[in-house]
Amino acid sequence: MSVPVEDVERSLRFYRDGLTLSTTGIEDGIVLFELPNLSLFLVERSEYAKYTERAGLGVSAPVSGAAIISCAIGSKDELDDTLSRAAAAGGSVNRPADMYDGSYTGYFTDPDGHVWELVFNSRTESAAAPT
């Protein structure tokens, strides 16, 4: 998944330092985070426009919040901790995590307004359990 960002350095600090995700850093205006079952590319807006143009979409970038990035979490404590780290790193938690449709769910937005949905339930707990 590729998302456009205004300030690559700020995004790097938010995701690497605030959320403690691993990366090799910025290369050609892009930061790559390898997550379980997802490659997340944070792409500087002008660089992002090159890809949308190549795809025949012109130079437009999606508006923040146009998509929700959902992430399965292994426990309520891990979910709450991630929300706390996101807020401390400059993101926004619009409301505390709570039970929705049988899942413990919380939402945060990164400094560019990209929405993350964190979900914990019996399926995510089973997936996170050591084998």
Side-chain angles (χ1 to χ4, degrees), residues 7-29:
D7 183 335
V8 179
E9 289 286 342
R10 177 186 70 187
S11 295
L12 175 65
R13 288 189 305 274
F14 178 81
Y15 285 94
R16 182 194 60 203
D17 303 338
L19 297 182
T20 66
L21 300 179
S22 297
T23 183
T24 57
I26 300 170
E27 185 175 324
D28 298 326

Side-chain angles (χ1 to χ4, degrees), residues 5-131:
V5 298
E6 289 296 327
D7 183 335
V8 179
E9 289 286 342
R10 177 186 70 187
S11 295
L12 175 65
R13 288 189 305 274
F14 178 81
Y15 285 94
R16 182 194 60 203
D17 303 338
L19 297 182
T20 66
L21 300 179
S22 297
T23 183
T24 57
I26 300 170
E27 185 175 324
D28 298 326
I30 300 172
V31 180
L32 167 63
F33 294 98
E34 288 293 347
L35 307 174
N37 302 313
L38 175 72
S39 296
L40 175 64
F41 295 88
L42 305 176
V43 185
E44 192 276 322
R45 278 198 185 273
S46 63
E47 186 68 22
Y48 187 89
K50 292 178 187 177
Y51 291 94
T52 59
E53 199 169 318
R54 183 184 308 159
L57 302 172
V59 294
S60 64
V63 296
S64 297
I68 297 173
I69 305 164
S70 296
C71 185
I73 300 294
S75 72
K76 285 184 176 182
D77 288 340
E78 181 184 356
L79 193 151
D80 290 336
D81 181 59
T82 303
L83 290 176
S84 294
R85 286 186 285 126
S92 298
V93 177
N94 298 65
R95 67 174 61 173
D98 206 345
M99 292 299 294
Y100 299 99
D101 299 323
S103 296
Y104 188 67
T105 306
Y107 297 88
F108 73 86
T109 55
D110 71 9
D112 286 284
H114 300 296
V115 180
W116 283 78
E117 174 187 57
L118 307 179
V119 179
F120 167 74
N121 57 38
S122 59
R123 288 186 305 256
T124 65
E125 181 177 37
S126 297
T131 55

